[in-house]
Amino acid sequence: MLKKLAVTAGAIAAIGLGTAATADTIMRIGHGASETFHMHRALLRFEELVEAGSDGEIDVQIFPSSQMGPDREMIEGVQTGVLDMAMPPSSFFAGWDPAFAVIELPYMYASTEIAFDVLNGEAGDGMLERLEAQGLTGLGWMELGVRHVTNNIRPVISPADLEGVKLRTMQVPAHVATFSSLGANPTPMNFGEVYSALQQGVIDGQENPLAIITSQRFYEVQSYLSTTGHVFAVYIPVVSTSFLEGLSDEHQQLIRDSIAEATVYQQELVTSESADQLDVIRAAGVEVYELSAEERLLFAEQTESVRLQYRDEVGAETYDAWVAAVAAASAM
């Protein structure tokens, strides 16, 4: 790990030489998505806002497509100062603090609106505060999306259809447990390896939001898609606490205000583009099956054991408080 990080630091330094002389501060941001993905475009808005708001005193440099390594390595890069900010899925933080696993448990939220009510409320604020123990400051929540299953074996209409399907998952134990409970053969794999693994038949399928399936062109190497909606996933923009506190109060507030505005912009992109994504996937020849609420309930019922298992791993108090927040948001 140290060797990899050293190489990465050298690469970043080389890229930054052209602008280092004109900016007081260089802010290096890494993430795993492509440049066409809505999160990356929202970060471009963040870059514009920060650079304009600081009169060029802060130079924002964005490294997409896992250029700085997989998500866990990027988190460690922020902790060690190789990066200043990263955009990992929230589930990766469960490797440091099990409480974070509760956010992306299967079938936790009935809608994205309910999920964001919880994340942007007291429960979500409390979760972000837990990052302080890791030397990180969480700047909010950005949408990754509702995850759906694609594969090359058969249409997935019921849990039985996942039996034996070799399905790439994130390297997140809760996701692995979810698909094990549904009868699939979950295969954790770094995101950058997924397309070639699908193309070569190393795996049968994968699961991701529609925006990822389209931006990564997974539809080129998949035959079936089912709107299982099994997990709602989010990114946490995390910045090094020491980096943030090293800025002036004015620039700290600029960073916070700019990520908030970029998050609003991202939601505008998600809303405007989501209706067309299934059409793009269908046009590529993928057979799309849109599950009904009743069909999706069968998946939710079969994954109940995973949610109960994680009540013990997360901690009963944290789990119950999160579920209570979801119930309160659902009743609004």
Side-chain angles (χ1 to χ4, degrees), residues 106-107 158-160 162-164 167 169 173-186 230 298-310:
Y107 298 100
S158 71
L162 280 169
E163 188 67 37
L167 196 75
T169 69
H175 291 199
V176 173
T178 293
F179 284 101
S180 292
S181 74
L182 292 168
N185 179 10
H230 48 278
L298 297 176
F299 289 82
E301 290 173 344
Q302 192 156 327
T303 55
E304 182 180 7
S305 61
V306 178
R307 294 188 293 278
L308 294 177
Q309 169 194 339
Y310 271 84

Side-chain angles (χ1 to χ4, degrees), residues 30-31 71-72 75 86-93 234-238:
H31 70 80
D71 285 296
R72 183 178 178 90
I75 295 170
M87 301 289 296
S90 66
S91 50
F92 276 89
F93 292 99
V234 288
Y235 296 107
I236 305 181
V238 289

Side-chain angles (χ1 to χ4, degrees), residues 38 41 265-277:
H38 49 67
R41 286 178 285 153
Y265 175 63
Q266 186 205 25
Q267 284 303 304
E268 293 171 355
L269 292 174
V270 170
T271 300
S272 66
E273 296 172 359
S274 59
D276 297 329
Q277 287 159 355

Side-chain angles (χ1 to χ4, degrees), residues 64-268:
S65 303
S66 302
Q67 291 179 41
M68 297 300 113
D71 285 296
R72 183 178 178 90
E73 187 172 309
M74 283 190 279
I75 295 170
E76 292 170 343
V78 176
Q79 291 172 324
T80 58
V82 172
L83 287 169
D84 304 304
M85 180 173 164
M87 301 289 296
S90 66
S91 50
F92 276 89
F93 292 99
W96 286 271
D97 182 345
F100 282 86
V102 75
I103 299 170
E104 293 186 18
L105 289 180
Y107 298 100
M108 177 61 75
Y109 318 99
S111 69
T112 58
E113 291 77 16
I114 290 170
F116 274 118
D117 282 345
V118 175
L119 292 164
N120 293 322
E122 184 178 344
D125 290 346
M127 199 66 72
L128 292 179
E129 289 173 4
R130 300 177 76 104
L131 293 169
E132 295 172 5
Q134 301 168 34
L136 303 171
T137 298
L139 298 178
W141 311 89
M142 296 185 80
E143 181 166 344
L144 201 169
V146 181
R147 304 181 77 89
H148 304 294
V149 168
T150 69
N151 81 102
N152 285 324
I153 303 299
R154 64 181 75 91
V156 174
I157 300 171
S158 71
D161 296 321
L162 280 169
E163 188 67 37
V165 174
K166 191 172 184 180
L167 196 75
R168 180 269 175 179
T169 69
M170 293 166 59
Q171 298 185 49
V172 174
H175 291 199
V176 173
T178 293
F179 284 101
S180 292
S181 74
L182 292 168
N185 179 10
T187 306
M189 181 182 294
N190 287 333
F191 184 66
E193 303 170 8
V194 177
Y195 186 98
S196 61
L198 291 169
Q199 189 176 43
Q200 296 165 16
V202 174
I203 50 176
D204 302 318
Q206 60 85 53
E207 46 84 43
N208 261 301
L210 297 179
I212 290 280
I213 294 168
T214 52
S215 66
Q216 298 296 136
R217 305 178 73 87
F218 290 151
Y219 54 74
E220 295 178 340
V221 287
Q222 292 283 258
S223 299
Y224 307 102
L225 180 148
S226 295
T227 58
T228 48
H230 48 278
V231 165
F232 177 68
V234 288
Y235 296 107
I236 305 181
V238 289
V239 64
S240 162
T241 300
S242 60
F243 170 83
L244 188 65
E245 292 179 349
L247 301 176
S248 67
D249 291 346
E250 179 184 2
H251 283 171
Q252 288 186 44
Q253 193 59 48
L254 174 65
I255 296 294
R256 293 181 181 277
D257 292 344
S258 297
I259 200 69
E261 187 169 335
T263 299
V264 172
Y265 175 63
Q266 186 205 25
Q267 284 303 304
E268 293 171 355

